[in-house]
Amino acid sequence: MSKIAFIAPDKQLFLQGKEIIQQLGLEHKFDLYLARLNRGIRLAKKLQNEDVDVIVSRGGTAQLIIESKVKIPVVEIPITGQDLAQVFHESKRLTGLPHPKVAILAYRNMVNDIEVLSKILAIELVIYPLKTVEDIPAKIAEVVATNANIVVGGIKTVLLAAEKGLQTHLIRSGDFSIRSAFLEAQKIALGRKFEKERSQEFKALVDYSLEGIISINQERVIKVFNRAAERLLNRSAKEMLGKRIDSLLNFINVETCLIEGQQSIGQVIQLGAIWITFNIAPIIVDQSIIGAIITFQDVTRIQEMELRIRNEVIARKFVAKYNFSDILGVSPQIIESKRIAQEMSSINATVLISGESGTGKELFAQSIHNASPRKNGPFVAINCAALPQNLLESELFGYVEGAFTGATKKGKPGLFEMAHRGTIFLDEISEMDKYGQSRLLRVLQEKQVMRLGDDKYIPVDIRIIAATNKNLLELIKEGHFRQDLFYRLKVLTITLPSLRNRRTDVKYLAQHFLHHYQRKYLKHLEITPSGYDYLANYFWPGNVRELKFFIERLVVIANEKTITEIVLQKYWDDRESAPELANDTVEVPLLSEEDRIICALTQYNSNITQTARSLGMDRSTLYRKLKNYRIEVKKTY
């Protein structure tokens, strides 16, 4: 809470101020003291170490406190013209003279415009200026040697003059002056409170920053030296504060910064066994450079933090980054597959995705997760074929301390635990061994897991999406896959079409990959219609993945700007011959006119002009066919 100290030089002002403070309802904000002149200075210096924001005083006491350089704002109770008029009126009354000779002993802050006022009121005035309290006795002696009728001044002046037998009158302040000073002090205290809060926030930021921070003024004197700077530079703040930076840290050149305001970022220097990187920036106030700030960091620590964060992200940050909009294609087959998958997204049931290698099974799995109510949960993907069988179980279900030789002391949670409230994607589920299959079946049935070496179950809330590029029914017949697990997985199923079964997508996908890799490698190629036909007639055993990587290779190595069928054959030396009898190969019948219009509309986002051009017809013909086939045109963006 803000505190205001009222230092009254006399008892009458003390009581007068106390009453006004009560009238204003500010008792909880004021501390009242009775002290004048030198005692007032000693008191003000003591209050510097206490929770005081403002000092209110009057006359010589206020003047002396200000001149003593006390680090607390001082609000003076002014001696107003009304107060001086009252003094002159009382001087006439006390002396009984219409034009008394008045001697006033005053500090310079007490006698503004007093001479003008004395002439108006027909007072014969002599001013004896005071600089320090020690001046008062000598000035009283001067007054005694004159024929002054009355001496006017502060409490000490009045007391000493009375001892010399002189008639006296004490200068007093009116209630209005005192009230105005108190209200002004309250405003200043509030401003000081905000200033303290900002100062404490800044101090906390500086003290607890992991960066070393040094602040200097224009004279290169160190004003701030935080704890991190102490640790990094192996110097104490007590040793550094108040010293010139160039005399202690001569490897830091601040000349350019202080003179031209130029920043210096990322300088590196070796200090002992560690490497330090530091930055220098100017401190500018009202377009003037008043100093500079230097920040330090331990390069080794930065590298360690980067490695730890990277490992943490790899180990813990399970995020699905693909959505249905990332699955490209305009063929009826892929559009229908996306529609089915989107319907599955909202259902919290196990999904089994079948399809050849390269058809986008994980892409569909991530899209289903991101379109599901579990989208804010983790997406944990594991390739069952990529881990040895002896590690697959421990990775999926985790283990406790001592479960096997080499197990970490604290144990390790499995991927099922990490996928809690999210989705776990088991790719190539057909490669899981029989024991792992039985454990997985237990998870599906009980919704709980048991770590290796443990005797208790851990409940988990997960959705399982499994994928396979093999025929699981054939594996069941051969005894390699559990039938009961198959039917547990086969709740929602989707079979992704191979690229040779959606040949109308080959050109669309090839154009997309071509544009992507041209931007990446800053090259420009153009595939001719015959080239696209050649690509479409290939049977693509690696599906979309194979097409993507071939287009990337083509962009990188081709010298020709125009890619024809002949050029494709030149760079496509690893293409395979289509099998004569492929059980899984289904020839795609020629599309009907209606299907060709729908595909073209999808490819060109329902742009009528582009669609008509691609179909080799004019706009009016296309509109007529749209009407005949009852095809509704909806633009997509």
Side-chain angles (χ1 to χ4, degrees):
M1 181 183 294
S2 301
K3 273 291 181 183
I4 303 170
F6 174 41
I7 302 178
D10 60 76
K11 189 172 182 179
Q12 192 277 335
L13 183 61
F14 179 92
L15 296 174
Q16 189 179 2
K18 183 178 180 181
E19 182 178 352
I20 292 172
I21 289 170
Q22 291 173 345
Q23 291 173 2
L24 295 172
L26 300 177
E27 299 93 331
H28 61 292
K29 292 189 176 182
F30 275 79
D31 288 330
L32 280 69
Y33 303 93
L34 183 60
R36 66 175 180 267
L37 302 176
N38 289 337
R39 281 190 64 237
I41 295 173
R42 291 193 296 271
L43 174 59
K45 290 182 177 179
K46 178 183 175 184
L47 294 176
Q48 287 182 124
N49 302 318
E50 299 179 15
D51 188 23
V52 173
D53 294 304
V54 189
I55 291 173
V56 180
S57 193
R58 192 195 68 178
T61 303
Q63 182 69 30
L64 293 175
I65 292 173
I66 293 170
E67 293 175 354
S68 70
K69 310 288 187 192
V70 169
K71 295 179 181 178
I72 302 175
V74 178
V75 175
E76 295 183 61
I77 299 174
I79 306 296
T80 66
Q82 182 179 346
D83 298 330
L84 293 173
Q86 184 65 30
V87 167
F88 292 149
H89 174 74
E90 290 295 318
S91 298
K92 288 182 178 182
R93 185 182 65 81
L94 292 172
T95 61
L97 299 172
H99 307 292
K101 295 179 181 179
V102 177
I104 184 166
L105 278 65
Y107 295 87
R108 65 173 180 270
N109 63 328
M110 298 171 63
V111 290
N112 296 323
D113 299 326
I114 192 171
E115 292 177 311
V116 174
L117 190 61
S118 65
K119 292 178 180 178
I120 293 172
L121 297 176
I123 298 293
E124 190 176 335
L125 180 68
V126 179
I127 300 174
Y128 296 85
L130 300 175
K131 291 184 178 180
T132 67
V133 65
E134 287 76 17
D135 293 341
I136 297 176
K139 297 296 182 181
I140 293 292
E142 290 182 29
V143 174
V144 170
T146 68
N147 59 348
N149 302 122
I150 190 169
V151 176
V152 174
I155 185 67
K156 184 160 187 176
T157 297
V158 168
L159 291 174
L160 291 177
E163 290 177 1
K164 298 296 184 179
L166 298 173
Q167 191 168 20
T168 63
H169 181 63
L170 181 66
I171 297 177
R172 301 190 183 279
S173 295
D175 288 355
F176 177 81
S177 300
I178 299 171
R179 183 179 288 103
S180 298
F182 288 166
L183 293 175
E184 180 66 21
Q186 187 183 12
K187 292 179 185 177
I188 294 173
L190 182 60
R192 291 265 289 177
K193 177 176 178 290
F194 292 146
E195 183 182 335
K196 279 184 180 179
E197 289 175 356
R198 288 194 296 268
S199 176
Q200 288 301 317
E201 288 174 0
F202 173 75
K203 187 175 185 301
L205 286 171
V206 169
D207 286 346
Y208 295 101
S209 171
L210 295 178
E211 287 189 326
I213 299 175
I214 299 175
S215 175
I216 62 172
N217 62 16
Q218 186 61 243
E219 286 70 42
R220 296 156 181 74
V221 174
I222 297 173
K223 308 300 290 184
V224 173
F225 198 88
N226 75 339
R227 298 171 186 174
E230 289 183 303
R231 175 178 54 80
L232 290 171
L233 301 177
N234 197 26
R235 302 286 188 96
S236 70
K238 186 176 181 181
E239 170 193 0
M240 303 297 289
L241 291 174
K243 307 289 180 55
R244 285 178 60 95
I245 191 169
D246 47 10
S247 66
L248 299 172
L249 303 172
N250 54 15
F251 64 88
I252 301 176
N253 185 356
V254 295
E255 294 298 318
T256 306
C257 180
L258 290 175
I259 296 172
E260 301 177 8
Q262 184 175 333
Q263 295 182 355
S264 178
I265 306 297
Q267 296 189 50
V268 179
I269 189 170
Q270 185 175 12
L271 297 178
I274 65 172
W275 286 86
I276 297 291
T277 177
F278 62 93
N279 307 315
I280 307 173
I283 301 173
I284 300 175
V285 176
D286 294 333
Q287 300 181 344
S288 297
I289 302 170
I290 65 167
I293 187 166
I294 303 104
T295 59
F296 299 82
Q297 280 186 298
D298 182 346
V299 174
T300 307
R301 182 182 177 88
I302 295 172
Q303 293 171 337
E304 290 173 351
M305 288 176 64
E306 181 184 7
L307 180 61
R308 185 169 66 251
I309 292 170
R310 181 175 297 179
N311 290 338
E312 184 73 14
V313 168
I314 293 172
R316 299 291 177 183
K317 194 66 175 178
F318 301 113
V319 176
K321 60 181 180 179
Y322 295 112
N323 297 283
F324 283 113
S325 60
D326 298 308
I327 300 173
L328 304 177
V330 295
S331 66
Q333 295 91 336
I334 197 66
I335 291 172
E336 178 65 6
S337 296
K338 288 170 66 174
R339 185 195 67 78
I340 293 171
Q342 285 173 325
E343 295 291 341
M344 293 177 175
S345 301
S346 59
I347 308 301
N348 191 30
T350 303
V351 178
L352 178 61
I353 304 175
S354 302
E356 295 179 7
S357 178
T359 52
K361 294 185 290 296
E362 183 166 355
L363 201 64
F364 269 83
Q366 292 193 23
S367 300
I368 290 171
H369 170 80
N370 278 332
S372 75
R374 296 176 177 269
K375 62 184 177 182
N376 294 322
F379 178 87
V380 179
I382 183 167
N383 190 322
C384 299
L387 287 173
Q389 297 296 345
N390 60 336
L391 290 181
L392 182 62
E393 187 181 7
S394 63
E395 287 295 318
L396 287 177
F397 306 107
Y399 54 82
V400 296
E401 179 182 354
F404 52 85
T405 303
T408 60
K409 289 185 177 181
K410 294 183 179 180
K412 179 184 176 183
L415 293 173
F416 278 105
E417 290 181 57
M418 295 180 183
H420 183 60
R421 298 191 183 280
T423 302
I424 188 164
F425 174 57
L426 302 175
D427 197 10
E428 299 195 54
I429 188 72
S430 58
E431 304 304 314
M432 185 179 288
D433 69 347
K434 280 293 192 68
Y435 181 64
Q437 292 176 31
S438 65
R439 293 290 304 275
L440 176 57
L441 181 63
R442 181 80 180 180
V443 174
L444 288 167
Q445 291 173 337
E446 307 297 334
K447 303 295 183 184
Q448 54 188 9
V449 297
M450 181 187 292
R451 293 187 184 182
L452 283 175
D454 206 354
D455 58 358
K456 62 179 181 294
Y457 285 99
I458 301 170
V460 290
D461 175 15
I462 56 173
R463 182 186 194 178
I464 293 177
I465 300 178
T468 179
N469 59 4
K470 293 184 178 180
N471 190 323
L472 293 182
L473 287 174
E474 291 295 329
L475 294 178
I476 291 171
K477 291 178 183 178
E478 296 169 3
H480 297 310
F481 201 83
R482 291 181 62 116
Q483 186 177 30
D484 49 0
L485 176 59
F486 173 70
Y487 287 112
R488 279 284 181 181
L489 294 172
K490 190 184 176 184
V491 179
L492 301 175
T493 62
I494 180 171
T495 300
L496 302 183
S498 60
L499 188 56
R500 63 183 167 277
N501 288 338
R502 53 182 183 112
R503 295 183 192 275
T504 53
D505 281 337
V506 173
K507 179 179 179 181
Y508 180 82
L509 292 168
Q511 288 176 334
H512 173 80
F513 296 142
L514 183 65
H515 293 157
H516 172 76
Y517 289 117
Q518 285 184 147
R519 289 194 301 270
K520 181 176 180 179
Y521 298 118
L522 302 177
K523 296 183 70 175
H524 180 72
L525 306 178
E526 184 177 346
I527 300 177
T528 63
S530 65
Y532 282 120
D533 290 341
Y534 185 72
L535 293 175
N537 289 326
Y538 183 57
F539 75 107
W540 297 108
N543 292 289
V544 179
R545 183 185 296 120
E546 183 184 4
L547 174 61
K548 177 182 178 182
F549 292 155
F550 172 69
I551 295 296
E552 181 178 14
R553 185 167 74 251
L554 182 68
V555 172
V556 171
I557 66 176
N559 287 325
E560 296 83 354
K561 298 298 183 183
T562 302
I563 307 299
T564 64
E565 177 182 346
I566 303 302
V567 175
L568 287 173
Q569 293 175 1
K570 174 183 174 181
Y571 295 113
W572 202 356
D573 54 1
D574 63 342
R575 66 189 183 281
E576 301 178 30
S577 298
E580 293 182 7
L581 293 173
N583 294 331
D584 58 347
T585 301
V586 179
E587 281 299 322
V588 179
L590 291 174
L591 293 178
S592 66
E593 183 179 58
E594 180 181 358
D595 286 339
R596 286 192 295 111
I597 291 173
I598 292 173
C599 289
L601 284 169
T602 304
Q603 180 175 356
Y604 294 105
N605 293 326
S606 297
N607 184 297
I608 297 298
T609 300
Q610 293 180 5
T611 300
R613 186 183 301 120
S614 70
L615 294 169
M617 60 180 71
D618 56 37
R619 286 167 54 92
S620 60
T621 302
L622 177 58
Y623 275 120
R624 187 176 66 254
K625 291 181 181 293
L626 291 174
K627 184 177 180 180
N628 291 339
Y629 292 124
R630 297 181 180 178
I631 299 173
E632 184 179 356
V633 178
K634 293 182 178 179
K635 285 190 177 289
T636 58
Y637 299 93

